[in-house]
Amino acid sequence: MIFLRYESFGSYLRLYPVTSTLIALNLIYFIVVAMSGNTTDAGHLFEYGAFVTEAGHDPYGMIEPWRYLTAMFMHAGLEHLLYNMFALLIFAPPLERLLGSVRYAFFYVLCGIAGNVMSALANTIESDSGIHIGVGASGAIYGVYGAFLFLSLLRKAQLDESSRKTVYTILIFGVIYSLLVPRVDLWAHVGGALGGFLLYQLFERKPARGRRHHT
């Protein structure tokens, strides 16, 4: 079971430097935002970099495109933060080992952006959606899940049966949770997962070819 974590704190930091950095950045930025106001207030989140789309004015959030990135490191409340950081802490490390830290860092960011892109498209189609404000690392985290779904379906030899079942369970639960819980951005989750599934093959490390011996 690749999702069980046995590392000490020091070993975790050494083995998974990007995941550790991402968790630290999310925690630090949450503290920064919380020290200056309410982390569940839409106006306050907007001031600190939340992702925003506005039907009829800026439906794709392109007036300030940097928000596609900054929103990935923001959370609406402590519960939101802890839920996402727990997921990142447990499920991201195996992917960092599989891709390598540099590839994994780019993969994570692109999946987070993909989640916001899908959210923007969905909220644009819903003409009465008005202003939509989104924050959270869940788009990128669902990208991690999407990568493991790719492995579960197309690279079965790389995952044990228990890990594959865990991936399916997480995704099913995630869809149900996203549909039932108010204010959860389903389309950001879908976009992140789809991005992870499609991008994984581009980022995976190819096995080294055997050298030919000449006689």
Side-chain angles (χ1 to χ4, degrees):
M1 179 67 156
I2 64 171
F3 301 122
L4 296 177
R5 305 262 61 82
Y6 299 105
E7 304 89 358
S8 65
F9 180 73
S11 295
Y12 191 99
L13 295 178
R14 185 176 65 256
L15 292 171
Y16 317 117
V18 173
T19 299
S20 300
T21 300
L22 290 171
I23 293 173
L25 288 173
N26 278 276
L27 294 174
I28 291 169
Y29 202 43
F30 181 82
I31 293 171
V32 169
V33 177
M35 288 179 66
S36 58
N38 187 348
T39 59
T40 62
D41 179 74
H44 184 59
L45 293 173
F46 172 80
E47 291 179 4
Y48 277 82
F51 178 67
V52 180
T53 59
E54 184 176 359
H57 177 60
D58 186 22
Y60 300 107
M62 292 307 297
I63 290 179
E64 296 177 316
W66 49 271
R67 293 179 182 273
Y68 275 89
L69 180 63
T70 55
M72 295 166 50
F73 298 93
M74 300 181 66
H75 290 84
L78 184 61
E79 182 180 353
H80 187 205
L81 172 73
L82 294 179
Y83 181 85
N84 278 344
M85 291 307 97
F86 175 79
L88 195 57
L89 178 77
I90 299 299
F91 297 108
L95 188 63
E96 182 169 355
R97 294 298 297 273
L98 283 170
L99 294 179
S101 294
V102 175
R103 286 188 180 91
Y104 164 72
F106 281 103
F107 175 88
Y108 180 92
V109 169
L110 289 177
C111 287
I113 292 173
N116 284 331
V117 168
M118 180 66 80
S119 178
L121 291 173
N123 283 284
T124 298
I125 292 172
E126 298 173 4
S127 58
D128 60 342
S129 59
I131 298 176
H132 172 76
I133 295 180
V135 294
S138 54
I141 292 170
Y142 271 80
V144 173
Y145 298 155
F148 283 120
L149 180 62
F150 179 92
L151 289 167
S152 298
L153 297 176
L154 302 176
R155 300 283 192 274
K156 291 185 177 181
Q158 295 187 38
L159 289 182
D160 59 272
E161 184 178 354
S162 295
S163 296
R164 291 198 299 272
K165 288 181 179 179
T166 299
V167 171
Y168 301 144
T169 301
I170 290 170
L171 287 172
I172 293 171
F173 173 79
V175 171
I176 296 173
Y177 178 84
S178 300
L179 290 171
L180 295 181
V181 178
R183 296 189 299 176
V184 171
D185 195 337
L186 169 64
W187 293 110
H189 294 178
V190 171
L194 184 61
F197 187 89
L198 297 176
L199 287 170
Y200 181 80
Q201 192 171 10
L202 298 177
F203 281 84
E204 67 178 334
R205 293 190 284 194
K206 305 299 181 184
R209 295 181 179 180
R211 295 181 179 178
R212 294 184 179 180
H213 298 279
H214 299 278
T215 57

